[in-house]
mmCIF file of all heavy atoms in Angstrom:
data_model
loop_
_atom_site.group_PDB
_atom_site.id
_atom_site.type_symbol
_atom_site.label_atom_id
_atom_site.label_comp_id
_atom_site.label_asym_id
_atom_site.label_seq_id
_atom_site.Cartn_x
_atom_site.Cartn_y
_atom_site.Cartn_z
ATOM 1 N N ALA A 1 66.837 91.718 67.695
ATOM 2 C CA ALA A 1 67.041 93.150 67.680
ATOM 3 C C ALA A 1 68.462 93.483 67.265
ATOM 4 O O ALA A 1 68.684 94.462 66.515
ATOM 5 C CB ALA A 1 66.743 93.746 69.068
ATOM 6 N N THR A 2 69.429 92.708 67.701
ATOM 7 C CA THR A 2 70.820 92.925 67.352
ATOM 8 C C THR A 2 71.077 92.645 65.867
ATOM 9 O O THR A 2 71.729 93.425 65.151
ATOM 10 C CB THR A 2 71.737 92.046 68.219
ATOM 11 O OG1 THR A 2 71.423 92.255 69.625
ATOM 12 C CG2 THR A 2 73.221 92.413 67.987
ATOM 13 N N VAL A 3 70.528 91.537 65.373
ATOM 14 C CA VAL A 3 70.658 91.201 63.957
ATOM 15 C C VAL A 3 70.014 92.284 63.079
ATOM 16 O O VAL A 3 70.557 92.668 62.040
ATOM 17 C CB VAL A 3 70.014 89.824 63.675
ATOM 18 C CG1 VAL A 3 69.924 89.569 62.156
ATOM 19 C CG2 VAL A 3 70.818 88.701 64.336
ATOM 20 N N ALA A 4 68.875 92.798 63.548
ATOM 21 C CA ALA A 4 68.105 93.773 62.744
ATOM 22 C C ALA A 4 68.833 95.087 62.550
ATOM 23 O O ALA A 4 68.460 95.862 61.658
ATOM 24 C CB ALA A 4 66.738 94.016 63.399
ATOM 25 N N THR A 5 69.890 95.368 63.344
ATOM 26 C CA THR A 5 70.628 96.608 63.143
ATOM 27 C C THR A 5 71.452 96.581 61.856
ATOM 28 O O THR A 5 71.809 97.650 61.332
ATOM 29 C CB THR A 5 71.614 96.849 64.323
ATOM 30 O OG1 THR A 5 72.593 95.830 64.339
ATOM 31 C CG2 THR A 5 70.853 96.909 65.654
ATOM 32 N N ASN A 6 71.742 95.386 61.344
ATOM 33 C CA ASN A 6 72.553 95.220 60.119
ATOM 34 C C ASN A 6 73.936 95.888 60.226
ATOM 35 O O ASN A 6 74.500 96.353 59.248
ATOM 36 C CB ASN A 6 71.818 95.791 58.891
ATOM 37 C CG ASN A 6 70.609 94.961 58.538
ATOM 38 O OD1 ASN A 6 70.668 93.744 58.461
ATOM 39 N ND2 ASN A 6 69.476 95.637 58.337
ATOM 40 N N LEU A 7 74.476 95.892 61.442
ATOM 41 C CA LEU A 7 75.775 96.524 61.676
ATOM 42 C C LEU A 7 76.928 95.540 61.732
ATOM 43 O O LEU A 7 78.106 95.955 61.710
ATOM 44 C CB LEU A 7 75.750 97.293 63.008
ATOM 45 C CG LEU A 7 74.852 98.529 63.085
ATOM 46 C CD1 LEU A 7 74.822 99.063 64.507
ATOM 47 C CD2 LEU A 7 75.322 99.600 62.121
ATOM 48 N N PHE A 8 76.609 94.247 61.788
ATOM 49 C CA PHE A 8 77.635 93.260 62.157
ATOM 50 C C PHE A 8 77.866 92.203 61.058
ATOM 51 O O PHE A 8 76.951 91.778 60.372
ATOM 52 C CB PHE A 8 77.254 92.563 63.456
ATOM 53 C CG PHE A 8 77.041 93.539 64.591
ATOM 54 C CD1 PHE A 8 75.748 93.781 65.093
ATOM 55 C CD2 PHE A 8 78.111 94.211 65.136
ATOM 56 C CE1 PHE A 8 75.563 94.680 66.090
ATOM 57 C CE2 PHE A 8 77.925 95.116 66.157
ATOM 58 C CZ PHE A 8 76.663 95.374 66.653
ATOM 59 N N TYR A 9 79.142 91.807 60.982
ATOM 60 C CA TYR A 9 79.524 90.708 60.114
ATOM 61 C C TYR A 9 78.842 89.423 60.589
ATOM 62 O O TYR A 9 78.472 88.584 59.772
ATOM 63 C CB TYR A 9 81.081 90.562 60.164
ATOM 64 C CG TYR A 9 81.593 89.388 59.397
ATOM 65 C CD1 TYR A 9 81.764 89.429 58.006
ATOM 66 C CD2 TYR A 9 81.952 88.202 60.054
ATOM 67 C CE1 TYR A 9 82.254 88.369 57.298
ATOM 68 C CE2 TYR A 9 82.447 87.131 59.354
ATOM 69 C CZ TYR A 9 82.604 87.201 57.990
ATOM 70 O OH TYR A 9 83.104 86.138 57.294
ATOM 71 N N ASP A 10 78.667 89.286 61.918
ATOM 72 C CA ASP A 10 78.010 88.107 62.478
ATOM 73 C C ASP A 10 77.454 88.483 63.842
ATOM 74 O O ASP A 10 77.972 89.379 64.536
ATOM 75 C CB ASP A 10 78.992 86.968 62.627
ATOM 76 C CG ASP A 10 78.375 85.599 62.270
ATOM 77 O OD1 ASP A 10 77.138 85.528 62.205
ATOM 78 O OD2 ASP A 10 79.129 84.639 62.037
ATOM 79 N N VAL A 11 76.389 87.782 64.253
ATOM 80 C CA VAL A 11 75.814 87.893 65.610
ATOM 81 C C VAL A 11 75.666 86.496 66.162
ATOM 82 O O VAL A 11 75.069 85.635 65.541
ATOM 83 C CB VAL A 11 74.441 88.612 65.595
ATOM 84 C CG1 VAL A 11 73.867 88.666 66.993
ATOM 85 C CG2 VAL A 11 74.529 89.992 64.985
ATOM 86 N N ILE A 12 76.264 86.265 67.351
ATOM 87 C CA ILE A 12 76.298 84.925 67.931
ATOM 88 C C ILE A 12 75.941 84.985 69.407
ATOM 89 O O ILE A 12 76.489 85.810 70.135
ATOM 90 C CB ILE A 12 77.685 84.276 67.769
ATOM 91 C CG1 ILE A 12 78.126 84.303 66.296
ATOM 92 C CG2 ILE A 12 77.674 82.851 68.313
ATOM 93 C CD1 ILE A 12 79.609 83.964 66.117
ATOM 94 N N VAL A 13 75.038 84.129 69.845
ATOM 95 C CA VAL A 13 74.761 83.964 71.291
ATOM 96 C C VAL A 13 75.764 82.910 71.807
ATOM 97 O O VAL A 13 75.926 81.843 71.227
ATOM 98 C CB VAL A 13 73.322 83.482 71.515
ATOM 99 C CG1 VAL A 13 73.126 83.100 72.988
ATOM 100 C CG2 VAL A 13 72.327 84.563 71.125
ATOM 101 N N VAL A 14 76.429 83.241 72.896
ATOM 102 C CA VAL A 14 77.358 82.288 73.517
ATOM 103 C C VAL A 14 76.839 82.019 74.922
ATOM 104 O O VAL A 14 76.606 82.907 75.733
ATOM 105 C CB VAL A 14 78.810 82.805 73.507
ATOM 106 C CG1 VAL A 14 78.938 84.165 74.174
ATOM 107 C CG2 VAL A 14 79.753 81.795 74.147
ATOM 108 N N THR A 15 76.630 80.702 75.217
ATOM 109 C CA THR A 15 75.862 80.331 76.419
ATOM 110 C C THR A 15 76.405 79.062 77.073
ATOM 111 O O THR A 15 77.112 78.269 76.449
ATOM 112 C CB THR A 15 74.387 80.138 76.054
ATOM 113 O OG1 THR A 15 73.622 79.841 77.225
ATOM 114 C CG2 THR A 15 74.200 79.021 75.029
ATOM 115 N N ASP A 16 76.029 78.903 78.327
ATOM 116 C CA ASP A 16 76.347 77.671 79.056
ATOM 117 C C ASP A 16 75.127 76.725 79.132
ATOM 118 O O ASP A 16 75.170 75.711 79.776
ATOM 119 C CB ASP A 16 76.810 77.995 80.495
ATOM 120 C CG ASP A 16 75.744 78.737 81.290
ATOM 121 O OD1 ASP A 16 74.705 79.125 80.717
ATOM 122 O OD2 ASP A 16 75.958 78.956 82.494
ATOM 123 N N SER A 17 74.049 77.121 78.478
ATOM 124 C CA SER A 17 72.777 76.436 78.609
ATOM 125 C C SER A 17 72.304 75.822 77.302
ATOM 126 O O SER A 17 72.171 76.533 76.294
ATOM 127 C CB SER A 17 71.706 77.428 79.121
ATOM 128 O OG SER A 17 70.435 76.920 78.952
ATOM 129 N N SER A 18 72.021 74.549 77.309
ATOM 130 C CA SER A 18 71.480 73.879 76.109
ATOM 131 C C SER A 18 70.074 74.405 75.802
ATOM 132 O O SER A 18 69.651 74.415 74.642
ATOM 133 C CB SER A 18 71.453 72.378 76.306
ATOM 134 O OG SER A 18 70.670 72.012 77.415
ATOM 135 N N ILE A 19 69.360 74.870 76.823
ATOM 136 C CA ILE A 19 68.022 75.402 76.622
ATOM 137 C C ILE A 19 68.102 76.672 75.774
ATOM 138 O O ILE A 19 67.377 76.855 74.792
ATOM 139 C CB ILE A 19 67.348 75.731 77.981
ATOM 140 C CG1 ILE A 19 67.117 74.431 78.760
ATOM 141 C CG2 ILE A 19 66.025 76.473 77.772
ATOM 142 C CD1 ILE A 19 66.637 74.651 80.196
ATOM 143 N N ILE A 20 69.025 77.601 76.149
ATOM 144 C CA ILE A 20 69.196 78.831 75.394
ATOM 145 C C ILE A 20 69.800 78.555 74.006
ATOM 146 O O ILE A 20 69.363 79.120 73.006
ATOM 147 C CB ILE A 20 70.086 79.810 76.173
ATOM 148 C CG1 ILE A 20 69.297 80.317 77.406
ATOM 149 C CG2 ILE A 20 70.510 80.990 75.322
ATOM 150 C CD1 ILE A 20 70.106 81.173 78.363
ATOM 151 N N TYR A 21 70.758 77.653 73.948
ATOM 152 C CA TYR A 21 71.379 77.287 72.652
ATOM 153 C C TYR A 21 70.296 76.798 71.678
ATOM 154 O O TYR A 21 70.207 77.266 70.539
ATOM 155 C CB TYR A 21 72.416 76.199 72.877
ATOM 156 C CG TYR A 21 73.042 75.670 71.610
ATOM 157 C CD1 TYR A 21 74.180 76.281 71.060
ATOM 158 C CD2 TYR A 21 72.499 74.564 70.938
ATOM 159 C CE1 TYR A 21 74.743 75.813 69.875
ATOM 160 C CE2 TYR A 21 73.052 74.101 69.746
ATOM 161 C CZ TYR A 21 74.175 74.726 69.233
ATOM 162 O OH TYR A 21 74.730 74.242 68.069
ATOM 163 N N ASN A 22 69.455 75.891 72.153
ATOM 164 C CA ASN A 22 68.392 75.344 71.268
ATOM 165 C C ASN A 22 67.374 76.399 70.924
ATOM 166 O O ASN A 22 66.840 76.402 69.783
ATOM 167 C CB ASN A 22 67.720 74.170 71.964
ATOM 168 C CG ASN A 22 68.630 72.956 72.082
ATOM 169 O OD1 ASN A 22 69.517 72.763 71.249
ATOM 170 N ND2 ASN A 22 68.431 72.133 73.101
ATOM 171 N N GLU A 23 67.083 77.312 71.826
ATOM 172 C CA GLU A 23 66.111 78.386 71.541
ATOM 173 C C GLU A 23 66.579 79.224 70.364
ATOM 174 O O GLU A 23 65.810 79.566 69.467
ATOM 175 C CB GLU A 23 65.964 79.283 72.788
ATOM 176 C CG GLU A 23 65.169 80.553 72.578
ATOM 177 C CD GLU A 23 63.662 80.324 72.423
ATOM 178 O OE1 GLU A 23 63.228 79.157 72.374
ATOM 179 O OE2 GLU A 23 62.938 81.331 72.322
ATOM 180 N N ILE A 24 67.865 79.553 70.338
ATOM 181 C CA ILE A 24 68.393 80.373 69.233
ATOM 182 C C ILE A 24 68.508 79.581 67.936
ATOM 183 O O ILE A 24 68.026 80.016 66.893
ATOM 184 C CB ILE A 24 69.760 80.981 69.629
ATOM 185 C CG1 ILE A 24 69.612 81.890 70.859
ATOM 186 C CG2 ILE A 24 70.379 81.724 68.463
ATOM 187 C CD1 ILE A 24 68.682 83.067 70.680
ATOM 188 N N VAL A 25 69.126 78.419 68.010
ATOM 189 C CA VAL A 25 69.357 77.613 66.811
ATOM 190 C C VAL A 25 68.060 77.151 66.148
ATOM 191 O O VAL A 25 67.891 77.184 64.939
ATOM 192 C CB VAL A 25 70.265 76.414 67.140
ATOM 193 C CG1 VAL A 25 70.367 75.473 65.945
ATOM 194 C CG2 VAL A 25 71.643 76.905 67.525
ATOM 195 N N ASN A 26 67.106 76.771 67.003
ATOM 196 C CA ASN A 26 65.803 76.303 66.464
ATOM 197 C C ASN A 26 65.000 77.403 65.834
ATOM 198 O O ASN A 26 64.018 77.127 65.132
ATOM 199 C CB ASN A 26 64.994 75.590 67.565
ATOM 200 C CG ASN A 26 65.616 74.285 68.012
ATOM 201 O OD1 ASN A 26 66.441 73.717 67.291
ATOM 202 N ND2 ASN A 26 65.253 73.790 69.183
ATOM 203 N N ASN A 27 65.380 78.638 66.103
ATOM 204 C CA ASN A 27 64.693 79.784 65.484
ATOM 205 C C ASN A 27 65.567 80.443 64.405
ATOM 206 O O ASN A 27 65.375 81.608 64.056
ATOM 207 C CB ASN A 27 64.305 80.820 66.567
ATOM 208 C CG ASN A 27 63.092 80.372 67.342
ATOM 209 O OD1 ASN A 27 61.963 80.478 66.887
ATOM 210 N ND2 ASN A 27 63.328 79.844 68.573
ATOM 211 N N GLY A 28 66.500 79.681 63.879
ATOM 212 C CA GLY A 28 67.304 80.123 62.747
ATOM 213 C C GLY A 28 68.484 81.010 63.075
ATOM 214 O O GLY A 28 69.102 81.587 62.162
ATOM 215 N N GLY A 29 68.843 81.104 64.365
ATOM 216 C CA GLY A 29 69.948 81.959 64.754
ATOM 217 C C GLY A 29 71.245 81.203 64.944
ATOM 218 O O GLY A 29 71.300 79.983 64.757
ATOM 219 N N LYS A 30 72.287 81.928 65.342
ATOM 220 C CA LYS A 30 73.606 81.331 65.582
ATOM 221 C C LYS A 30 73.935 81.364 67.067
ATOM 222 O O LYS A 30 73.727 82.363 67.745
ATOM 223 C CB LYS A 30 74.700 82.092 64.814
ATOM 224 C CG LYS A 30 74.619 81.928 63.301
ATOM 225 C CD LYS A 30 75.847 82.540 62.650
ATOM 226 C CE LYS A 30 75.824 82.333 61.150
ATOM 227 N NZ LYS A 30 77.041 82.863 60.476
ATOM 228 N N ALA A 31 74.440 80.213 67.567
ATOM 229 C CA ALA A 31 74.803 80.129 68.964
ATOM 230 C C ALA A 31 75.991 79.211 69.150
ATOM 231 O O ALA A 31 76.275 78.380 68.295
ATOM 232 C CB ALA A 31 73.632 79.589 69.786
ATOM 233 N N MET A 32 76.730 79.418 70.262
ATOM 234 C CA MET A 32 77.869 78.602 70.631
ATOM 235 C C MET A 32 77.726 78.190 72.087
ATOM 236 O O MET A 32 77.218 79.002 72.905
ATOM 237 C CB MET A 32 79.183 79.358 70.465
ATOM 238 C CG MET A 32 79.519 79.788 69.053
ATOM 239 S SD MET A 32 80.950 80.903 68.995
ATOM 240 C CE MET A 32 82.223 79.838 69.656
ATOM 241 N N MET A 33 78.191 76.998 72.417
ATOM 242 C CA MET A 33 78.238 76.572 73.822
ATOM 243 C C MET A 33 79.600 76.891 74.405
ATOM 244 O O MET A 33 80.639 76.659 73.774
ATOM 245 C CB MET A 33 77.971 75.065 73.932
ATOM 246 C CG MET A 33 76.560 74.638 73.640
ATOM 247 S SD MET A 33 75.372 75.176 74.916
ATOM 248 C CE MET A 33 75.922 74.235 76.350
ATOM 249 N N SER A 34 79.636 77.464 75.598
ATOM 250 C CA SER A 34 80.883 77.705 76.291
ATOM 251 C C SER A 34 81.530 76.372 76.664
ATOM 252 O O SER A 34 80.844 75.377 76.974
ATOM 253 C CB SER A 34 80.644 78.524 77.563
ATOM 254 O OG SER A 34 80.167 79.814 77.249
ATOM 255 N N ILE A 35 82.862 76.353 76.631
ATOM 256 C CA ILE A 35 83.584 75.141 76.978
ATOM 257 C C ILE A 35 83.801 75.090 78.477
ATOM 258 O O ILE A 35 83.666 74.044 79.125
ATOM 259 C CB ILE A 35 84.940 75.118 76.255
ATOM 260 C CG1 ILE A 35 84.714 75.080 74.731
ATOM 261 C CG2 ILE A 35 85.766 73.898 76.665
ATOM 262 C CD1 ILE A 35 85.958 75.322 73.910
ATOM 263 N N LYS A 36 84.157 76.263 79.083
ATOM 264 C CA LYS A 36 84.455 76.325 80.529
ATOM 265 C C LYS A 36 83.313 77.044 81.262
ATOM 266 O O LYS A 36 82.467 77.703 80.663
ATOM 267 C CB LYS A 36 85.757 77.091 80.754
ATOM 268 C CG LYS A 36 86.955 76.475 80.049
ATOM 269 C CD LYS A 36 88.157 77.407 80.251
ATOM 270 C CE LYS A 36 89.382 76.940 79.472
ATOM 271 N NZ LYS A 36 90.504 77.890 79.589
ATOM 272 N N GLU A 37 83.372 76.929 82.596
ATOM 273 C CA GLU A 37 82.509 77.773 83.447
ATOM 274 C C GLU A 37 83.087 79.182 83.525
ATOM 275 O O GLU A 37 84.319 79.330 83.587
ATOM 276 C CB GLU A 37 82.419 77.189 84.853
ATOM 277 C CG GLU A 37 81.620 75.906 84.943
ATOM 278 C CD GLU A 37 80.149 76.120 84.665
ATOM 279 O OE1 GLU A 37 79.624 77.162 85.103
ATOM 280 O OE2 GLU A 37 79.523 75.255 84.024
ATOM 281 N N HIS A 38 82.243 80.200 83.502
ATOM 282 C CA HIS A 38 82.732 81.573 83.525
ATOM 283 C C HIS A 38 82.001 82.409 84.565
ATOM 284 O O HIS A 38 80.787 82.234 84.765
ATOM 285 C CB HIS A 38 82.574 82.221 82.153
ATOM 286 C CG HIS A 38 83.401 81.560 81.081
ATOM 287 N ND1 HIS A 38 84.780 81.649 81.036
ATOM 288 C CD2 HIS A 38 83.054 80.780 80.041
ATOM 289 C CE1 HIS A 38 85.239 80.962 80.002
ATOM 290 N NE2 HIS A 38 84.212 80.419 79.391
ATOM 291 N N GLU A 39 82.762 83.350 85.183
ATOM 292 C CA GLU A 39 82.194 84.220 86.189
ATOM 293 C C GLU A 39 81.420 85.410 85.558
ATOM 294 O O GLU A 39 80.538 85.949 86.192
ATOM 295 C CB GLU A 39 83.310 84.777 87.103
ATOM 296 C CG GLU A 39 83.908 83.748 88.037
ATOM 297 C CD GLU A 39 82.960 83.299 89.119
ATOM 298 O OE1 GLU A 39 82.174 84.137 89.588
ATOM 299 O OE2 GLU A 39 82.980 82.117 89.467
ATOM 300 N N CYS A 40 81.816 85.801 84.357
ATOM 301 C CA CYS A 40 81.191 86.996 83.775
ATOM 302 C C CYS A 40 81.098 86.861 82.278
ATOM 303 O O CYS A 40 81.738 85.978 81.636
ATOM 304 C CB CYS A 40 82.009 88.251 84.128
ATOM 305 S SG CYS A 40 83.648 88.278 83.418
ATOM 306 N N GLY A 41 80.313 87.748 81.663
ATOM 307 C CA GLY A 41 80.083 87.721 80.229
ATOM 308 C C GLY A 41 81.330 87.957 79.408
ATOM 309 O O GLY A 41 81.503 87.376 78.333
#
C-alpha cells in the first residue's frame, strides 16, 4: 500500500525479525535488519 502511493524515492521495511525480512524480500520488496535492539519504531 505504501509503495502504491508512488510518493517515495524508496520504501523499506526495517525489522528485528528474519521472518518479516524474508516475507518482504521474497515478495520482491526491500527490507533491512536492525543491528541493535530497540524500544520503539
Side-chain angles (χ1 to χ4, degrees):
T2 307
V3 170
T5 65
N6 292 312
L7 293 174
F8 304 108
Y9 175 80
D10 219 345
V11 178
I12 306 167
V13 171
V14 56
T15 183
D16 60 354
S17 165
S18 59
I19 295 171
I20 291 174
Y21 176 89
N22 290 332
E23 171 73 356
I24 298 301
V25 171
N26 291 342
N27 283 283
K30 291 188 177 182
M32 298 171 62
M33 289 291 295
S34 295
I35 299 169
K36 303 175 185 176
E37 289 292 322
H38 296 290
E39 289 291 325
C40 66

